[in-house]
Amino acid sequence: ETESNEDLAKITSAGRHLLALINDILDLSKIEAGRMELSVEAVELPRLLREVAASVRPLVEKNNNTLTLDVDADVPVIRGDAMRVRQVILNLVSNATKFTERGTVRIGVARHECDGNRLELELYVADTGPGIAAEIF
């Protein structure tokens, strides 16, 4: 039964990934037409990143990669479009897995205290793949 549940979870995850790809294509059309709308809401980045990590784990492990999740303590709730943030992270992880073999893909959010009362959050996807050639820049 546990094995069946794991298989169903993987199928569900793959289905969500395919749906996200379709939504990406539709979003590109909206952006080009100047009709993109955002749904601003409270977003708990640690929870969102855990959900993304769970859904992309099979994709990351496909090339014998390891997925790590780094979340700084005390990351506050932000206001933003959770679906769009999720899309960006999924796209970056998808790109990272295409070019990384037997390496590591890291998803994370880091908290940086700045001048005065300002706080910056760094949301990132990093990998140990070959990177982009310097000539491209």
Side-chain angles (χ1 to χ4, degrees):
E1 186 174 306
T2 301
E3 189 174 323
S4 295
N5 288 342
E6 289 174 8
D7 289 341
L8 287 174
K10 288 178 185 177
I11 291 168
T12 301
S13 175
R16 286 186 180 138
H17 181 68
L18 288 174
L19 180 59
L21 291 174
I22 292 167
N23 284 332
D24 286 347
I25 293 167
L26 294 173
D27 285 346
L28 287 174
S29 298
K30 288 179 187 175
I31 291 169
E32 289 176 1
R35 302 190 70 177
M36 175 59 76
E37 294 180 19
L38 297 177
S39 176
V40 178
E41 60 188 305
V43 179
E44 294 177 35
L45 287 175
R47 184 170 57 109
L48 184 140
L49 294 181
R50 282 192 301 274
E51 291 170 359
V52 169
S55 69
V56 299
R57 191 168 301 280
L59 178 65
V60 171
E61 293 173 349
K62 184 177 160 186
N63 285 344
N64 297 312
N65 293 312
T66 301
L67 177 67
T68 61
L69 181 61
D70 303 321
V71 177
D72 278 359
D74 300 326
V75 172
V77 172
I78 64 166
R79 296 206 38 85
D81 190 323
M83 187 174 77
R84 302 291 180 241
V85 173
R86 184 177 283 108
Q87 279 181 298
V88 169
I89 298 297
L90 285 170
N91 289 343
L92 292 171
V93 170
S94 177
N95 288 340
T97 60
K98 288 178 189 174
F99 303 105
T100 305
E101 293 183 21
R102 292 179 299 281
T104 302
V105 175
R106 290 178 31 233
I107 302 172
V109 59
R111 178 185 171 122
H112 301 288
E113 300 290 337
C114 298
D115 302 332
N117 293 331
R118 211 175 90 206
L119 172 69
E120 288 184 4
L121 296 177
E122 175 187 9
L123 191 56
Y124 61 89
V125 173
D127 63 75
T128 57
I132 301 172
E135 307 84 62
I136 293 177
F137 296 106

